[in-house]
Amino acid sequence: MKFLVALLSLSAIAAVEGKDFVYKRLNKNDTMLLVVDIQVGLFQMARDTSPEEYRNHALAHSAIGPLFDIPTILTTSAQDGPNGPLPKEIIAMHPNAPLVMRHGEVNAWDNAEFRAAVKATGKSQVILAGITTDVCTTFLALSLREAGYEVWANTDASGTFNKRIADEANARMRDAGVTTTGMFAIALELMRDWRSTPGAATVLPFFDQYLPAYGYLARGHGYATQNGTLIPGEAELL
Ligand SMILES: *[C@@H]1O[C@H](CO)[C@@H](O)[C@H](O)[C@H]1NC(C)=O
Ligand SMILES: *[C@@H]1O[C@H](CO)[C@@H](O)[C@H](O)[C@H]1NC(C)=O
């Protein structure tokens, strides 16, 4: 009886402390970034957000590589056919990244050159996004999970025909242990601490460019600190 009580209270403590839960977080030292088929011809199929928003997030996704100095691999599908190249802005961000042009494989993992490029990074965590969410992102994410990688799908930077398809694709990935989350969470999980390097000095300008809700907040605070005075009514709010 005593034993049982002890056992029960132990499991209660374990549940409270979350001992059976491991928070797997991105570690910038272990991470690679994949830009999958975000091609100009496929862009029009990213319809679950506006074109302006999608382009912004596609560029932000690509910019995470240089921001955190993590190895990046670009890949395209039939780029000399109807799908076209990657936007020139993405190519310009990655002058030294491998660009694997696939001439048939839908799932990038089916391409030996791509698999070799992924393995050559020596990293165990993958951040990826692509067009479309349900095909290019999901197929590759599932294959990466099967191959033993920890996978984060950047939902901001993947696009597909509509919200239902996106929801199904994200659920399918989560069922396979993929973390589906957006750019803000990915960037801050990589950064961890505003005092890190990279930290506030480069991450705030990144947000200012790609996430104005946060960048403009920082600007407002900056202006107020530099030359601000309280107008009547404000002091009473503090
Ligand atoms: C990444 O590696 C550096 C150098 O070894 C180390 O100082 C740092 O703590 C590591 N970062 C994380 C998040 O583990
Ligand atoms: C600073 O604040 C003063 C008083 O409100 C204003 O006259 C001045 O133009 C401001 N300077 C700048 C650089 O914004």
Side-chain angles (χ1 to χ4, degrees):
M1 184 63 189
K2 258 189 186 164
F3 176 73
L4 190 64
V5 169
L7 203 66
L8 284 174
S9 52
L10 267 182
S11 65
I13 290 166
V16 168
E17 292 183 355
K19 287 259 165 58
D20 51 355
F21 175 75
V22 180
Y23 171 25
K24 282 188 190 168
R25 41 167 145 176
L26 282 166
N27 181 329
K28 66 188 175 195
N29 296 341
D30 301 332
T31 302
M32 76 184 91
L33 182 81
L34 306 180
V35 177
V36 188
D37 306 353
I38 301 185
Q39 293 162 251
V40 295
L42 297 175
F43 186 81
Q44 61 181 303
M45 298 206 288
R47 294 181 189 181
D48 50 328
T49 49
S50 70
E52 293 78 10
E53 209 176 331
Y54 182 70
R55 179 177 61 183
N56 175 60
H57 281 302
L59 297 181
H61 177 76
S62 307
I64 285 172
L67 177 62
F68 289 97
D69 193 22
I70 56 183
T72 301
I73 301 165
L74 313 175
T75 184
T76 58
S77 172
Q79 80 160 58
D80 39 10
N83 298 346
L86 294 171
K88 61 186 180 193
E89 297 91 333
I90 293 182
I91 299 196
M93 283 182 210
H94 299 283
N96 302 315
L99 167 53
V100 178
M101 299 182 194
R102 305 181 334 270
H103 298 289
E105 302 91 345
V106 174
N107 181 346
W109 198 247
D110 290 341
N111 179 290
E113 187 189 341
F114 184 80
R115 287 196 305 276
V118 166
K119 283 171 192 157
T121 66
K123 309 295 183 186
S124 58
Q125 300 185 327
V126 181
I127 303 166
L128 85 168
I131 309 171
T132 62
T133 314
D134 46 321
V135 173
C136 302
T137 308
T138 301
F139 292 178
L140 176 56
L142 299 183
S143 290
L144 286 164
R145 287 291 299 132
E146 190 174 57
Y149 291 90
E150 290 177 32
V151 181
W152 279 254
N154 179 352
T155 49
D156 283 325
S158 284
T160 188
F161 304 101
N162 56 53
K163 186 179 175 305
R164 175 179 56 81
I165 299 280
D167 290 347
E168 285 170 357
N170 289 324
R172 189 179 182 194
M173 285 191 277
R174 281 195 297 276
D175 284 347
V178 174
T179 300
T180 58
T181 189
M183 172 269 267
F184 193 51
I186 287 171
L188 290 182
E189 207 166 38
L190 284 169
M191 186 189 77
R192 295 197 179 187
D193 190 313
W194 290 104
R195 299 161 297 182
S196 303
T197 308
T202 50
V203 176
L204 276 180
F206 168 80
F207 286 149
D208 189 61
Q209 187 169 1
Y210 298 110
L211 194 72
Y214 204 87
Y216 278 42
L217 175 156
R219 288 192 198 200
H221 174 249
Y223 288 127
T225 304
Q226 218 166 44
N227 193 31
T229 49
L230 296 175
I231 61 168
E234 278 188 320
E236 289 74 11
L237 299 178
L238 304 180

